[in-house]
Amino acid sequence: MLFLRSCLHTLWMGVTVIPYTLGVLLARVLGLPLMVRWRIGCAWLMLSIRAAGWFCGVRYRVQGLENLPTDPQQGVVLLAKHQSTFETFLLPNILPRRIAYVFKKELLHIPFFGWSIGSMDMIHIDRKHGSRAFHKVVEQGKRLLNQGVWVAMFPEGTRVQRGEVGDYKSGAARLAIMCSVPVVPVAITSARCWPRNGFLRYPGIVDISIGAPIPTTGRKHEELTVQVQQWIEAEMRRLDPEAYPQDGATPAQP
């Protein structure tokens, strides 16, 4: 039954992404404002999140929204735990500002989904280019942050297994310091229900915890990255203690 429910959810996403993507592309052809495309894309993302609840029993709860800046001109760099696809779909719908993901350019080649995100004024990079890729992040990140758009990055660089800690990279902290904007750490327990690279979706609750903004003025990117990691990983252990057993036991699986 778990496999069947997961199949239905995957099929649902595969079918519904087509009309929404066509809507995004049509809005672009017609020269409609970017926010029109954004709202169409977010509507499909939220539909997919809700469908995960309908078909698979995946729910979510959010805490810490009151920590977010209320000034519409205030840019921030969001640094989130990355365990599955779930958070990439959810964050644009629970945050009060438009966000721009920094993502690998290979995602642009995914039919329909990639075509949509390619129309959203986000930051796609070629990881092979190293310093040139980071230069692009800084250049486009500054432009977006100056517009009040929030730049979202996953400091571990890729999805990690439940209960694991990835290698926190300092690129997001460097961007925030260079642009003089705060960073906002986000802990997300998505692998509890939707594991990394997993097909099966397990019933349960995904917890999202948003931390208070951390000022970056006068900070060093290394120490700021460590502070973000410490907050996120401590919060992950609070939200999902079963995934971080004591005494070296095997982490809990969904």
Side-chain angles (χ1 to χ4, degrees):
M1 184 61 70
L2 190 66
F3 179 77
L4 177 59
R5 288 176 177 271
S6 300
C7 285
L8 289 173
H9 183 232
T10 301
L11 179 62
W12 174 275
M13 291 194 299
V15 171
T16 57
V17 71
I18 297 174
Y20 279 90
T21 297
L22 293 178
V24 168
L25 297 179
L26 179 61
R28 185 173 186 176
V29 170
L30 294 176
L32 298 179
L34 173 60
M35 286 306 297
V36 174
R37 285 176 264 153
W38 173 256
R39 291 191 181 102
I40 295 172
C42 284
W44 178 76
L45 296 177
M46 197 62 202
L47 180 64
S48 298
I49 291 293
R50 289 172 177 161
W54 301 335
F55 293 117
C56 306
V58 178
R59 311 293 178 185
Y60 69 90
R61 57 191 173 198
V62 185
Q63 56 185 292
L65 286 172
E66 69 278 3
N67 290 327
L68 294 171
T70 57
D71 182 354
Q73 299 304 313
Q74 176 64 66
V76 301
V77 176
L78 297 154
L79 286 80
K81 187 73 175 179
H82 194 20
Q83 292 187 328
S84 81
T85 302
F86 188 89
E87 57 266 17
T88 61
F89 282 26
L90 182 64
L91 288 177
N93 283 287
I94 63 173
L95 297 173
R97 300 284 182 273
R98 181 167 71 87
I99 68 173
Y101 283 115
V102 177
F103 63 92
K104 57 184 181 181
K105 71 171 188 176
E106 288 81 3
L107 295 180
L108 296 172
H109 304 307
I110 299 176
F112 296 102
F113 176 79
W115 306 339
S116 288
I117 61 175
S119 301
M120 296 296 175
D121 192 18
M122 298 190 184
I123 307 172
H124 54 86
I125 59 172
D126 187 340
R127 292 176 176 174
K128 299 176 183 177
H129 289 164
S131 60
R132 197 192 322 172
F134 181 69
H135 177 76
K136 181 178 182 179
V137 171
V138 172
E139 181 181 30
Q140 296 192 21
K142 283 183 176 179
R143 174 180 60 82
L144 291 164
L145 290 165
N146 287 335
Q147 297 172 4
V149 177
W150 293 357
V151 175
M153 301 178 69
F154 300 111
E156 291 164 290
T158 187
R159 288 172 287 187
V160 297
Q161 299 281 6
R162 185 184 182 196
E164 289 187 356
V165 180
D167 179 19
Y168 277 68
K169 299 172 178 60
S170 63
R174 291 164 62 192
L175 171 64
I177 291 170
M178 294 174 70
C179 297
S180 300
V181 299
V183 298
V184 174
V186 184
I188 306 170
T189 65
S190 53
R192 178 192 287 160
C193 301
W194 191 332
R196 170 182 179 264
N197 297 330
F199 176 76
L200 298 180
R201 281 71 142 164
Y202 297 84
I205 297 177
V206 175
D207 282 296
I208 302 95
S209 180
I210 301 170
I214 302 174
T216 61
T217 303
R219 301 294 300 275
K220 300 292 185 181
H221 60 82
E222 298 94 341
E223 63 170 338
L224 181 59
T225 302
V226 170
Q227 183 179 354
V228 167
Q229 177 177 348
Q230 290 175 341
W231 187 92
I232 290 177
E233 295 304 326
E235 193 69 355
M236 291 297 295
R237 283 160 174 77
R238 184 183 73 83
L239 297 172
D240 191 12
E242 292 182 355
Y244 300 89
Q246 303 299 317
D247 304 321
T250 302
Q253 297 300 316

